[in-house]
Amino acid sequence: MARQKLLVANWKMHFVRAQASEYLKVFTERVRGVHKTELVLAPPFTLLETVGRALEGTAIRLAAQDLFYEREGAFTGEISPIMLKDLGCSYVIVGHSERRRLLGETDELINKKLKAARDAGLVPILCVGETLEERRAGKTQRVLEAQVRGALAGVHPHPQPLSPSRERGAGVRGPHLVIAYEPVWAIGTGINAEPEEAEASALFIRELLAQLWNAETATTVRILYGGSVKPANFEGFLRHPNIDGALVGGASLDPEAFAQLAQMAERV
Ligand code: PEP
Protein backbone atom coordinates (compact mmCIF):
# COMPACT_ATOMS: atom_id res chain seq x y z
CA MET A 1 0.00 0.00 0.00
CA ALA A 2 1.42 3.39 -0.98
CA ARG A 3 1.49 5.81 1.92
CA GLN A 4 1.36 9.52 1.20
CA LYS A 5 4.61 11.27 2.06
CA LEU A 6 4.34 13.64 5.01
CA LEU A 7 6.52 16.57 6.08
CA VAL A 8 5.93 18.30 9.39
CA ALA A 9 7.54 21.60 10.40
CA ASN A 10 8.05 21.85 14.14
CA TRP A 11 8.64 25.54 14.75
CA LYS A 12 9.09 24.92 18.48
CA MET A 13 9.23 28.23 20.43
CA HIS A 14 10.00 30.48 17.48
CA PHE A 15 8.35 33.40 15.69
CA VAL A 16 5.83 36.11 16.47
CA ARG A 17 2.96 37.00 14.14
CA ALA A 18 4.84 39.27 11.75
CA GLN A 19 7.58 36.66 11.27
CA ALA A 20 5.01 33.92 10.68
CA SER A 21 3.26 36.03 8.04
CA GLU A 22 6.54 36.68 6.24
CA TYR A 23 7.37 32.99 6.34
CA LEU A 24 3.98 31.99 4.97
CA LYS A 25 4.20 34.39 2.05
CA VAL A 26 7.44 32.77 0.90
CA PHE A 27 6.54 29.19 1.79
CA THR A 28 3.07 29.02 0.23
CA GLU A 29 4.50 30.45 -3.00
CA ARG A 30 7.40 27.98 -3.12
CA VAL A 31 5.21 24.89 -2.57
CA ARG A 32 2.55 25.73 -5.12
CA GLY A 33 3.59 22.75 -7.25
CA VAL A 34 3.63 20.28 -4.34
CA HIS A 35 0.52 18.09 -4.50
CA LYS A 36 1.49 14.50 -3.70
CA THR A 37 3.21 15.25 -0.41
CA GLU A 38 1.20 16.29 2.63
CA LEU A 39 2.63 19.40 4.30
CA VAL A 40 1.95 20.29 7.92
CA LEU A 41 3.04 23.31 9.97
CA ALA A 42 3.23 23.11 13.75
CA PRO A 43 3.62 26.67 15.09
CA PRO A 44 3.48 27.58 18.78
CA PHE A 45 -0.03 27.91 20.27
CA THR A 46 0.09 31.69 19.97
CA LEU A 47 0.38 31.47 16.19
CA LEU A 48 -2.18 28.77 15.45
CA GLU A 49 -4.88 31.24 14.55
CA THR A 50 -2.65 33.44 12.36
CA VAL A 51 -1.13 30.47 10.55
CA GLY A 52 -4.50 28.68 10.28
CA ARG A 53 -6.06 31.71 8.58
CA ALA A 54 -3.16 32.07 6.17
CA LEU A 55 -3.46 28.40 5.21
CA GLU A 56 -7.17 28.57 4.45
CA GLY A 57 -7.78 27.50 0.88
CA THR A 58 -4.46 25.62 0.69
CA ALA A 59 -3.83 21.91 1.26
CA ILE A 60 -1.27 22.65 3.99
CA ARG A 61 -2.47 21.37 7.33
CA LEU A 62 -2.11 22.81 10.81
CA ALA A 63 -0.67 21.00 13.84
CA ALA A 64 -0.18 21.92 17.48
CA GLN A 65 3.00 21.02 19.33
CA ASP A 66 1.27 19.65 22.42
CA LEU A 67 -2.11 19.36 24.15
CA PHE A 68 -3.64 18.57 27.52
CA TYR A 69 -5.70 15.41 27.98
CA GLU A 70 -8.88 16.92 29.41
CA ARG A 71 -11.52 18.55 27.24
CA GLU A 72 -12.09 21.50 29.61
CA GLY A 73 -11.81 22.46 33.27
CA ALA A 74 -9.60 23.99 35.93
CA PHE A 75 -6.20 23.32 34.31
CA THR A 76 -4.46 26.68 34.32
CA GLY A 77 -2.23 27.24 31.34
CA GLU A 78 -3.24 24.09 29.49
CA ILE A 79 -4.78 23.80 26.02
CA SER A 80 -7.44 21.20 25.25
CA PRO A 81 -7.97 19.11 22.13
CA ILE A 82 -11.29 20.86 21.59
CA MET A 83 -9.54 24.23 21.48
CA LEU A 84 -7.08 22.90 18.92
CA LYS A 85 -9.90 21.55 16.74
CA ASP A 86 -11.61 24.90 17.02
CA LEU A 87 -8.51 26.59 15.57
CA GLY A 88 -8.47 24.18 12.64
CA CYS A 89 -5.73 21.79 13.75
CA SER A 90 -5.65 18.39 12.07
CA TYR A 91 -2.58 17.03 13.87
CA VAL A 92 -0.89 17.36 17.23
CA ILE A 93 2.66 16.41 18.23
CA VAL A 94 2.68 14.19 21.32
CA GLY A 95 5.66 13.09 23.42
CA HIS A 96 8.36 15.19 21.81
CA SER A 97 11.69 14.38 23.46
CA GLU A 98 12.11 18.00 24.56
CA ARG A 99 8.91 17.64 26.60
CA ARG A 100 9.92 14.23 27.91
CA ARG A 101 13.32 15.57 28.98
CA LEU A 102 12.60 19.16 30.08
CA LEU A 103 9.07 18.78 31.41
CA GLY A 104 9.19 15.21 32.69
CA GLU A 105 6.50 13.81 30.37
CA THR A 106 6.07 10.09 31.02
CA ASP A 107 4.70 7.35 28.76
CA GLU A 108 1.61 7.33 30.97
CA LEU A 109 0.94 11.03 30.41
CA ILE A 110 1.69 10.69 26.69
CA ASN A 111 -0.80 7.83 26.50
CA LYS A 112 -3.50 10.06 28.01
CA LYS A 113 -2.69 12.87 25.59
CA LEU A 114 -2.67 10.55 22.61
CA LYS A 115 -6.09 9.13 23.52
CA ALA A 116 -7.52 12.60 24.07
CA ALA A 117 -6.23 13.75 20.68
CA ARG A 118 -7.81 10.81 18.87
CA ASP A 119 -11.07 11.20 20.78
CA ALA A 120 -11.29 14.76 19.48
CA GLY A 121 -10.48 13.76 15.89
CA LEU A 122 -6.91 15.05 15.93
CA VAL A 123 -4.19 12.83 14.50
CA PRO A 124 -1.37 12.45 17.03
CA ILE A 125 2.21 12.55 15.78
CA LEU A 126 3.82 10.39 18.44
CA CYS A 127 7.55 11.01 18.93
CA VAL A 128 9.78 8.20 20.12
CA GLY A 129 13.54 7.82 20.23
CA GLU A 130 16.53 6.75 22.27
CA THR A 131 19.16 8.88 23.98
CA LEU A 132 22.87 8.60 23.15
CA GLU A 133 23.50 6.59 26.34
CA GLU A 134 20.72 4.18 25.48
CA ARG A 135 22.04 3.82 21.96
CA ARG A 136 25.57 3.16 23.21
CA ALA A 137 24.23 0.55 25.59
CA GLY A 138 22.51 -1.23 22.69
CA LYS A 139 19.07 -0.44 24.09
CA THR A 140 17.52 1.37 21.12
CA GLN A 141 14.89 -1.24 20.31
CA ARG A 142 14.05 -1.81 23.96
CA VAL A 143 13.45 1.93 24.43
CA LEU A 144 11.36 2.24 21.25
CA GLU A 145 9.26 -0.75 22.25
CA ALA A 146 8.60 0.62 25.74
CA GLN A 147 7.69 4.06 24.37
CA VAL A 148 5.38 2.73 21.64
CA ARG A 149 3.70 0.20 23.94
CA GLY A 150 3.34 2.83 26.68
CA ALA A 151 1.85 5.47 24.38
CA LEU A 152 -0.53 3.03 22.72
CA ALA A 153 -1.73 1.16 25.84
CA GLY A 154 -5.47 0.70 25.44
CA VAL A 155 -5.50 2.41 22.04
CA HIS A 156 -7.30 0.61 19.22
CA PRO A 157 -6.32 0.99 15.57
CA HIS A 158 -9.57 2.67 14.57
CA PRO A 159 -11.05 5.20 16.96
CA GLN A 160 -14.67 4.76 17.91
CA PRO A 161 -16.91 6.78 15.61
CA LEU A 162 -17.67 9.99 17.43
CA SER A 163 -21.20 10.93 18.25
CA PRO A 164 -22.63 13.81 16.16
CA SER A 165 -22.83 15.90 19.32
CA ARG A 166 -19.00 15.84 19.49
CA GLU A 167 -16.82 16.42 16.46
CA ARG A 168 -18.89 16.10 13.34
CA GLY A 169 -17.00 14.31 10.59
CA ALA A 170 -14.05 13.61 12.84
CA GLY A 171 -14.60 9.88 13.22
CA VAL A 172 -12.91 9.12 9.91
CA ARG A 173 -11.52 5.67 9.26
CA GLY A 174 -7.81 5.06 9.27
CA PRO A 175 -5.24 4.40 11.90
CA HIS A 176 -5.31 7.99 13.11
CA LEU A 177 -1.67 7.90 14.06
CA VAL A 178 1.70 9.08 12.79
CA ILE A 179 4.89 8.00 14.53
CA ALA A 180 8.09 10.04 14.35
CA TYR A 181 11.29 8.15 15.07
CA GLU A 182 13.50 10.86 16.53
CA PRO A 183 16.77 9.74 18.10
CA VAL A 184 17.30 12.26 20.90
CA TRP A 185 21.00 12.63 20.06
CA ALA A 186 20.13 13.74 16.53
CA ILE A 187 17.64 16.45 17.44
CA GLY A 188 18.99 19.95 16.96
CA THR A 189 22.58 18.69 17.00
CA GLY A 190 23.35 18.77 13.29
CA ILE A 191 24.21 15.06 13.53
CA ASN A 192 21.61 12.99 11.73
CA ALA A 193 21.15 9.24 12.07
CA GLU A 194 22.36 7.20 9.13
CA PRO A 195 19.36 6.60 6.85
CA GLU A 196 19.92 2.81 7.20
CA GLU A 197 19.71 3.07 11.01
CA ALA A 198 16.54 5.15 10.75
CA GLU A 199 15.04 2.62 8.35
CA ALA A 200 15.87 -0.22 10.76
CA SER A 201 14.09 1.62 13.58
CA ALA A 202 11.11 2.49 11.39
CA LEU A 203 10.79 -1.15 10.35
CA PHE A 204 11.07 -2.24 13.99
CA ILE A 205 8.25 0.16 14.90
CA ARG A 206 6.09 -1.05 12.02
CA GLU A 207 6.59 -4.69 13.03
CA LEU A 208 5.71 -3.79 16.59
CA LEU A 209 2.49 -2.12 15.40
CA ALA A 210 1.66 -5.30 13.48
CA GLN A 211 2.02 -7.26 16.73
CA LEU A 212 0.05 -4.77 18.81
CA TRP A 213 -2.69 -4.19 16.23
CA ASN A 214 -2.49 -6.08 12.96
CA ALA A 215 -0.31 -6.20 9.86
CA GLU A 216 -2.82 -4.44 7.64
CA THR A 217 -3.13 -1.44 9.95
CA ALA A 218 0.63 -1.35 10.52
CA THR A 219 1.22 -0.85 6.80
CA THR A 220 -1.03 2.22 6.78
CA VAL A 221 0.67 4.10 9.64
CA ARG A 222 3.09 6.76 8.44
CA ILE A 223 6.46 6.67 10.15
CA LEU A 224 8.66 9.76 9.92
CA TYR A 225 12.32 10.31 10.67
CA GLY A 226 13.29 13.36 12.71
CA GLY A 227 16.72 14.64 13.74
CA SER A 228 18.76 17.29 11.90
CA VAL A 229 16.99 16.75 8.56
CA LYS A 230 18.04 19.29 5.94
CA PRO A 231 18.11 19.47 2.14
CA ALA A 232 21.66 18.06 2.09
CA ASN A 233 20.70 14.78 3.80
CA PHE A 234 16.99 14.26 3.16
CA GLU A 235 17.26 12.27 -0.07
CA GLY A 236 19.01 9.41 1.74
CA PHE A 237 16.02 8.99 4.06
CA LEU A 238 13.43 9.20 1.31
CA ARG A 239 14.90 6.19 -0.44
CA HIS A 240 13.90 3.84 2.36
CA PRO A 241 10.59 2.02 2.20
CA ASN A 242 9.53 2.44 5.83
CA ILE A 243 10.33 6.14 6.11
CA ASP A 244 7.34 8.17 4.95
CA GLY A 245 8.74 11.66 5.43
CA ALA A 246 10.19 13.80 8.19
CA LEU A 247 9.51 15.84 11.28
CA VAL A 248 11.78 18.85 10.88
CA GLY A 249 12.86 21.36 13.51
CA GLY A 250 15.74 23.70 12.67
CA ALA A 251 15.51 23.49 8.87
CA SER A 252 11.77 24.18 8.99
CA LEU A 253 12.43 27.69 10.31
CA ASP A 254 13.71 28.70 6.89
CA PRO A 255 10.79 28.70 4.44
CA GLU A 256 13.15 28.21 1.48
CA ALA A 257 14.81 25.16 3.06
CA PHE A 258 11.52 23.63 4.16
CA ALA A 259 10.02 24.17 0.71
CA GLN A 260 13.09 22.51 -0.77
CA LEU A 261 12.45 19.45 1.43
CA ALA A 262 8.84 19.40 0.21
CA GLN A 263 9.99 19.46 -3.40
CA MET A 264 12.43 16.63 -2.73
CA ALA A 265 9.66 14.48 -1.19
CA GLU A 266 7.46 15.28 -4.15
CA ARG A 267 10.01 13.89 -6.60
CA VAL A 268 10.23 10.45 -4.94
C1 PEP B 1 12.45 18.09 16.18
O1 PEP B 1 12.41 19.02 16.96
O2 PEP B 1 11.51 17.29 16.16
C2 PEP B 1 13.59 17.98 15.29
C3 PEP B 1 13.71 16.93 14.54
O3 PEP B 1 14.50 19.02 15.29
P1 PEP B 1 15.77 19.23 14.30
O4 PEP B 1 15.29 18.99 12.90
O5 PEP B 1 16.22 20.61 14.54
O6 PEP B 1 16.77 18.19 14.69
Side-chain angles (χ1 to χ4, degrees), residues 10 12 93 96-98 127 180 182 186-190 225-230 247-252:
N10 178 11
K12 310 193 188 190
I93 297 172
H96 193 281
S97 65
E98 283 154 14
C127 299
E182 298 210 303
I187 297 179
T189 57
Y225 167 72
S228 299
V229 167
K230 50 185 181 265
L247 176 53
V248 187
S252 80

Coordinates of all heavy atoms in Angstrom, one line a residue, residues 10 12 93 96-98 127 180 182 186-190 225-230 247-252, ligand 1:
N10 N 8.2 21.6 12.7 CA 8.0 21.9 14.1 C 8.8 23.2 14.4 O 10.0 23.2 14.5 CB 8.6 20.7 15.0 CG 8.5 21.0 16.5 OD1 7.9 21.9 16.9 ND2 9.2 20.1 17.2
K12 N 8.7 24.8 17.0 CA 9.1 24.9 18.5 C 8.7 26.3 19.0 O 7.8 26.9 18.6 CB 10.6 24.6 18.7 CG 11.0 23.3 18.0 CD 12.3 22.8 18.5 CE 12.7 21.6 17.6 NZ 13.8 20.9 18.1
I93 N 1.4 17.1 17.8 CA 2.7 16.4 18.2 C 2.5 16.0 19.7 O 2.0 16.7 20.5 CB 3.9 17.3 18.1 CG1 4.1 17.7 16.6 CG2 5.1 16.6 18.6 CD1 5.2 18.7 16.4
H96 N 7.1 14.7 22.4 CA 8.4 15.2 21.8 C 9.4 15.0 22.9 O 9.2 15.3 24.1 CB 8.3 16.7 21.4 CG 9.4 17.1 20.5 ND1 10.6 17.4 21.1 CD2 9.6 17.2 19.2 CE1 11.5 17.7 20.1 NE2 10.9 17.6 18.9
S97 N 10.6 14.7 22.5 CA 11.7 14.4 23.5 C 12.0 15.6 24.3 O 12.5 15.5 25.5 CB 12.9 13.8 22.8 OG 13.5 14.8 22.0
E98 N 11.8 16.8 23.7 CA 12.1 18.0 24.6 C 11.1 18.1 25.7 O 11.5 18.5 26.8 CB 12.0 19.3 23.7 CG 13.3 19.4 22.8 CD 13.1 20.2 21.6 OE1 12.1 20.8 21.4 OE2 14.0 20.1 20.7
C127 N 6.1 11.0 19.1 CA 7.5 11.0 18.9 C 8.2 10.0 19.9 O 7.8 10.0 21.1 CB 8.1 12.4 19.3 SG 7.5 13.7 18.2
A180 N 6.8 9.4 14.8 CA 8.1 10.0 14.4 C 9.2 9.4 15.1 O 9.2 9.4 16.4 CB 8.1 11.5 14.6
E182 N 12.6 9.7 16.3 CA 13.5 10.9 16.5 C 14.6 10.5 17.6 O 14.3 10.7 18.8 CB 12.7 12.1 17.0 CG 11.7 12.6 16.1 CD 11.5 14.1 16.2 OE1 11.2 14.5 17.3 OE2 11.7 14.8 15.2
A186 N 20.1 13.1 17.9 CA 20.1 13.7 16.5 C 19.3 15.0 16.5 O 19.3 15.7 15.5 CB 19.6 12.7 15.5
I187 N 18.5 15.3 17.5 CA 17.6 16.5 17.4 C 18.4 17.8 17.7 O 19.0 17.9 18.8 CB 16.4 16.3 18.4 CG1 15.6 15.1 18.0 CG2 15.6 17.5 18.4 CD1 14.5 14.8 18.9
G188 N 18.4 18.6 16.8 CA 19.0 20.0 17.0 C 20.5 19.9 17.1 O 21.1 20.9 17.5
T189 N 21.1 18.8 16.8 CA 22.6 18.7 17.0 C 23.4 18.8 15.7 O 24.6 19.0 15.7 CB 22.9 17.3 17.6 OG1 22.4 16.3 16.7 CG2 22.3 17.1 19.0
G190 N 22.6 18.8 14.6 CA 23.3 18.8 13.3 C 23.9 17.4 12.9 O 24.4 17.2 11.8
Y225 N 11.0 10.2 10.0 CA 12.3 10.3 10.7 C 12.5 11.8 11.1 O 12.1 12.7 10.3 CB 13.5 9.9 9.8 CG 14.8 10.4 10.4 CD1 15.3 9.7 11.5 CD2 15.4 11.5 9.9 CE1 16.5 10.2 12.1 CE2 16.6 12.0 10.5 CZ 17.1 11.3 11.6 OH 18.2 11.8 12.3
G226 N 13.0 12.0 12.3 CA 13.3 13.4 12.7 C 14.6 13.4 13.4 O 15.0 12.5 14.2
G227 N 15.4 14.5 13.1 CA 16.7 14.6 13.7 C 17.7 15.2 12.7 O 18.3 14.5 11.9
S228 N 17.8 16.6 12.8 CA 18.8 17.3 11.9 C 18.6 17.0 10.4 O 19.5 16.9 9.6 CB 20.2 17.0 12.3 OG 20.4 17.4 13.6
V229 N 17.3 16.9 10.0 CA 17.0 16.7 8.6 C 17.2 18.1 7.9 O 16.8 19.1 8.4 CB 15.5 16.3 8.3 CG1 15.1 16.4 6.9 CG2 15.4 14.8 8.8
K230 N 17.8 18.1 6.7 CA 18.0 19.3 5.9 C 18.1 18.9 4.5 O 18.3 17.7 4.2 CB 19.3 20.1 6.4 CG 20.5 19.2 6.5 CD 21.6 20.1 7.1 CE 22.9 19.3 7.2 NZ 23.2 18.7 8.5
L247 N 9.9 14.8 10.3 CA 9.5 15.8 11.3 C 10.8 16.7 11.4 O 11.8 16.2 11.7 CB 9.1 15.2 12.6 CG 8.8 16.2 13.8 CD1 7.7 17.2 13.4 CD2 8.3 15.4 15.0
V248 N 10.6 18.0 11.1 CA 11.8 18.8 10.9 C 11.7 20.0 11.9 O 10.7 20.7 11.9 CB 11.8 19.4 9.4 CG1 13.1 20.2 9.2 CG2 11.7 18.3 8.4
G249 N 12.8 20.2 12.6 CA 12.9 21.4 13.5 C 13.6 22.5 12.9 O 13.0 23.3 12.1
G250 N 14.9 22.6 13.1 CA 15.7 23.7 12.7 C 15.5 24.1 11.2 O 15.3 25.3 10.9
A251 N 15.6 23.1 10.3 CA 15.5 23.5 8.9 C 14.1 24.0 8.5 O 14.0 24.6 7.4 CB 15.9 22.3 8.0
S252 N 13.1 23.7 9.3 CA 11.8 24.2 9.0 C 11.6 25.7 9.3 O 10.6 26.3 8.9 CB 10.7 23.3 9.7 OG 10.6 23.8 11.1
Ligands
PEP1 C1 12.4 18.1 16.2 O1 12.4 19.0 17.0 O2 11.5 17.3 16.2 C2 13.6 18.0 15.3 C3 13.7 16.9 14.5 O3 14.5 19.0 15.3 P1 15.8 19.2 14.3 O4 15.3 19.0 12.9 O5 16.2 20.6 14.5 O6 16.8 18.2 14.7

